[in-house]
Amino acid sequence: MKTIIKWLSGILIGIVVMAALVYMALAVYYHDRFVLGTWARGHYITGLSVSQAAEILNSEYESRDLVVVDKDGKRYEVKASDIGVKADFTLSLQTAFDNQNVISWIYYMVNGKEVTMVPEISFEEDALERIVSKWSCFDLKDENRGIEIVNVVDEGYQLIDTMGDVPVYDEIINQVGIAIRSGLGQINLTDFESCYKDLELTNEMKSVKKTYEKISDIQDTGITYKFGSQEIEIDGSFVGDAIVTQAQAQDMSTQKPKKNQPGSGYFICGGEEVSFPKEYHIENGFVVDSKGNLLLSESSLYESVNELCGQFNTVGGERSFVNYAGKTIKVAGGTYGNKIDSTKEFDYLIESLLSGTEEIHEPSYEQLAAKQGTDDIGNTYIEISISDQHLYYYQDGVLILNCDIVTGNVARGRDTPTGVYYVYGKAKNRYLRGRGYVSFVKFWMPVYKGVGIHDASWRDEFGGDIYLDEGSHGCINLPTEKAEELYGYVEVGTPVIIY
């Protein structure tokens, strides 16, 4: 029995010794390579040396292109291939190798180990500088920067200041390089304060800024005109041209008040209405009085008021109109529409500028349409197609009545006038008199001078080509029952579109 025990003990000791020898042999084997169970960036690098593993990782690394966004939102691209971006994992692999415990190789074999890899990124710095130097944000050189006041069409005076937020080339190169080395795909230069700087202003530049502050105060009137659903701000685009400049000084200084030229000879200066000052000087291209106040020409303001009113005066103008068939047509002429009282509006504007009034203002009208603004017809109207010899009456956008009609006699030159008119009266049982005729009508709705819509009991037929040779004296003839029905619907002021 003792013999067996000794024999088994010998075998067990032999096994332990052999296992220890194998374990130590493998530990020795892995002294210059990665141990069992080691992974890096998805690669099994067990048994590989640092240089062997680096060769694999370096060859499969995909370099990223970089997008750089400047303060204006412009995007610049740096392609990795253009600057020779390369990745080297040697240092990261060496660090991982130095930290491994070869004696614990069996632990790694059982549990596995993913080592963190951060490559060293290199690139051709000269190539990067050549690319960045061509970016448009560097087009304006520091020596060409400055501050100036410019009159922008439809916007008024604006300050063009290129002295602030000047891109710093060296710092941008630095941040772009850092981003490339970090493997980023995009950076915004505004995230780095050091990428932009403000240049020092000269005394002349400071003076220009102060002049613009005065201009800005004048252009920011706080007045908004309301034309129906449309609103127009009285801002630089409106009052800018009324600010007296150096080029206008001589003509403005000799301007005298004239009855037929509202505003002529008068100026707004320092919150007061004045004549052209005897003592003035030029400040950065603009006329100012002895106290440094800018001048606002009232005659120029009157021109601006007239222009603004003209945009929304619709009487007699051309309109786009969607007819019964859904087709957009042009209709010009007529008596219907809005007409703004420009004289009252000029007086209002001068008073408001002098008092500093800020409000939303609806203008005074000499004539009012159903709606204000450029689209003034509304959804209730009478539509008359001469070519179709047909009348349509819409109420709140719904077709209520339609019928055949007879319009003016073309052969005798009595064509019904085209344009946009309106029903300016209503009467029953009237005699219509003209050269060589007297006609009795039950329902009379005049739209333009002696032309109106009425019944024609003497006619048996309507529509077709009757109007060409046997049409009316210019009026729109309807069957009596239709004229009566229409008379009951329409109100004085209802638009009448004739085309």
Side-chain angles (χ1 to χ4, degrees), residues 288-299:
V288 296
D289 68 1
S290 58
K291 296 180 180 180
N293 296 309
L294 294 166
L295 271 67
L296 201 58
S297 167
E298 290 192 9
S299 60

Side-chain angles (χ1 to χ4, degrees), residues 361-397:
H361 171 72
E362 293 192 21
S364 299
Y365 290 88
E366 295 179 22
Q367 178 178 315
L368 272 173
K371 289 176 62 181
Q372 282 61 64
T374 52
D375 181 14
D376 61 353
I377 291 177
N379 295 320
T380 298
Y381 56 85
I382 298 170
E383 176 184 347
I384 296 172
S385 171
I386 293 177
S387 60
D388 292 343
Q389 289 292 285
H390 210 81
L391 176 147
Y392 307 85
Y393 172 68
Y394 289 88
Q395 190 173 80
D396 296 327

